[in-house]
Amino acid sequence: MHQPSPPFDALAARRLREGLGMAPGHVAYGLRAQYGLLVAPETVVAWERGRAIPNEQELTALAGVLWCSPVDLIAAPATLREHRVARGLAVEDLARRVGMSASAYQRMEDEGSWRGTERQTAALAEALGLTPRTLITATGGDEPLAELLRSAATTRWQAYVKPIAKMVPLPKRIVESALQQLHTDYHAQMTAISSWGASGWSTGDEGRAYLDEITDHFWAEVGP
């Protein structure tokens, strides 16, 4: 399966190279001499100008030549693969840390759908340095979480404490407090909308906008 290139930070690559006093030709030579990669100086220039993007192997090697970490060359990693590459970890290494076979991990990474156990999820977060929010995003949980949060805000929030606490690696008491606040805030808006509507002031857009941004409200309550 073809893997998309990680989100490359072209400006950072150029600044790092110039900071080392290297020309594109020096970088190309380092890639060839140290890693056996036949990359032309023109390709290095194309990377730095955003006209081309290094693949995973090239990015890891480029970080070595520029004396930096791969994370320094990746713009805002979001997926599991991007976080793994940013940490300079091979699939086999991360799978071993998480406690599963490399093929099983690779399949989840390719599909963008995490199905690990609670222990494996905790190990994944530790290995990749993920916060609760970045963990949810990286494992494909943003939309499922948003659906649960919308239901909690609009109906009986207590019924959603358990499923959300199971999904998000946070203490149950913090989840409870956040859901109660979301429910209170949403219904306060709807009450205000109802009052305004009686006078012809509101169309209900405020309530819909609140639900559209429900995950942002949730993370604001519980922290990053």
Side-chain angles (χ1 to χ4, degrees):
M1 178 182 293
H2 172 70
Q3 293 292 338
S5 298
F8 183 62
D9 192 332
L11 182 59
R14 178 180 175 183
R15 286 175 174 171
L16 286 164
R17 175 181 61 76
E18 292 177 343
L20 293 171
M22 301 173 69
H26 297 141
V27 175
Y29 175 80
L31 292 171
R32 182 174 65 255
Q34 298 175 44
Y35 299 94
L37 297 177
L38 300 179
V39 174
E42 293 78 12
T43 300
V44 175
V45 173
W47 290 345
E48 294 180 354
R49 293 182 179 176
R51 296 201 302 260
I53 300 175
N55 61 31
E56 181 177 331
Q57 182 184 17
E58 291 167 338
L59 186 144
T60 301
L62 180 63
V65 172
L66 296 179
W67 292 83
C68 68
S69 167
V71 72
D72 297 322
L73 298 174
I74 295 180
T79 66
L80 278 180
R81 178 171 178 270
E82 290 166 4
H83 282 287
R84 175 178 61 76
V85 172
R87 290 277 169 169
L89 292 171
V91 168
E92 294 77 12
D93 296 331
L94 182 55
R96 185 164 51 251
R97 293 192 189 189
V98 171
M100 64 175 58
S101 69
S103 60
Y105 172 81
Q106 184 71 73
R107 186 163 54 251
M108 294 183 200
E109 185 178 282
D110 291 344
E111 295 172 355
S113 179
W114 177 251
R115 297 180 295 279
T117 65
E118 184 175 343
R119 182 190 65 77
Q120 290 171 330
T121 301
L124 178 75
E126 180 178 0
L128 297 181
L130 303 177
T131 65
R133 184 169 192 170
T134 56
L135 174 64
I136 291 296
T137 297
T139 54
D142 278 342
E143 187 51 39
L145 176 61
E147 290 180 5
L148 291 173
L149 291 174
R150 282 191 285 267
S151 295
T154 57
T155 60
R156 186 172 176 271
W157 65 267
Q158 294 90 338
Y160 296 90
V161 173
K162 186 174 181 179
I164 292 175
K166 184 177 181 180
M167 174 182 290
V168 180
L170 291 169
K172 183 179 178 182
R173 59 180 177 77
I174 292 180
V175 174
E176 286 180 336
S177 177
L179 295 189
Q180 184 174 17
Q181 190 61 52
L182 294 182
H183 185 272
T184 298
D185 291 347
Y186 173 74
H187 283 276
Q189 288 209 26
M190 295 308 293
T191 298
I193 289 170
S194 178
S195 299
W196 296 337
S199 302
W201 281 87
S202 177
T203 62
D205 289 344
E206 295 88 347
R208 287 190 291 272
Y210 185 86
L211 293 179
D212 287 343
E213 300 172 355
I214 193 71
T215 53
D216 289 335
H217 296 307
F218 174 74
W219 291 117
E221 290 294 330
V222 304

